[in-house]
Amino acid sequence: MEVTAATGASFEAKVERWAKLLAKHRLADSGIVVVFVVAPRPDKHVQVKEVAVAVRKAVAKATRAYPGVNFDRTADRMFVAERTSWFPEPRHVDRSFLALAAYKPSGPADQL
C-alpha cells in the first residue's frame, strides 16, 4: 500500500517502478499487488479528486509502458483508492474499505 498526498515527477517514477516490478514478476509467483491511497494532508488545501485523477493517469501511463502478459496484466494489480471514500469521517469506515474497493485501469493495454 502506497499512501500519497501529492503527485509529481518522483511519484510518477515510483508508479513506473511498481509497474515494471509487477510486469516482471507474475502474481502467482510473487503475490504482489499495489494500492495507491490518495490522502492529501488536512493542513493543505488540495482537492482529493484532483490528486486522484493525477494518480489514476500515472497508473494508466505506467501500465501502458509495462503491460505484463495477457494472462497476468499489470493493470489488474495496480489500484487507486481515496482515503476519504474509505474513511469519510473520523471514526467511520465505509463498507467499500472492507472489500478494498478501488479503481483499476481497464480495457486493452494500448487504450489504458
Side-chain angles (χ1 to χ4, degrees):
M1 191 167 292
E2 289 275 355
V3 178
T4 186
T7 60
S10 63
F11 174 77
E12 290 177 12
K14 181 189 292 190
V15 173
E16 187 169 317
R17 286 191 303 271
W18 272 114
K20 187 176 183 179
L21 177 84
L22 293 173
K24 188 176 181 180
H25 300 282
R26 303 291 159 245
L27 178 61
D29 297 332
S30 69
I32 300 171
V33 299
V34 63
V35 179
F36 295 95
V37 180
V38 178
R41 292 176 33 181
D43 62 328
K44 301 287 183 182
H45 296 290
V46 177
Q47 296 294 324
V48 174
K49 296 293 182 192
E50 288 177 24
V51 177
V53 167
V55 171
R56 287 179 183 141
K57 286 180 180 180
V59 168
K61 179 180 176 185
T63 58
R64 280 192 306 273
Y66 299 96
V69 294
N70 64 351
F71 61 86
D72 195 10
R73 294 174 8 130
T74 304
D76 292 336
R77 297 191 284 148
M78 295 184 81
F79 303 89
V80 179
E82 296 173 21
R83 182 195 55 80
T84 54
S85 294
W86 283 354
F87 308 101
E89 298 176 34
R91 297 180 294 196
H92 287 90
V93 178
D94 189 86
R95 289 182 188 268
S96 63
F97 173 72
L98 302 176
L100 292 179
Y103 161 87
K104 74 173 185 172
S106 62
D110 62 345
Q111 296 177 10
L112 295 176

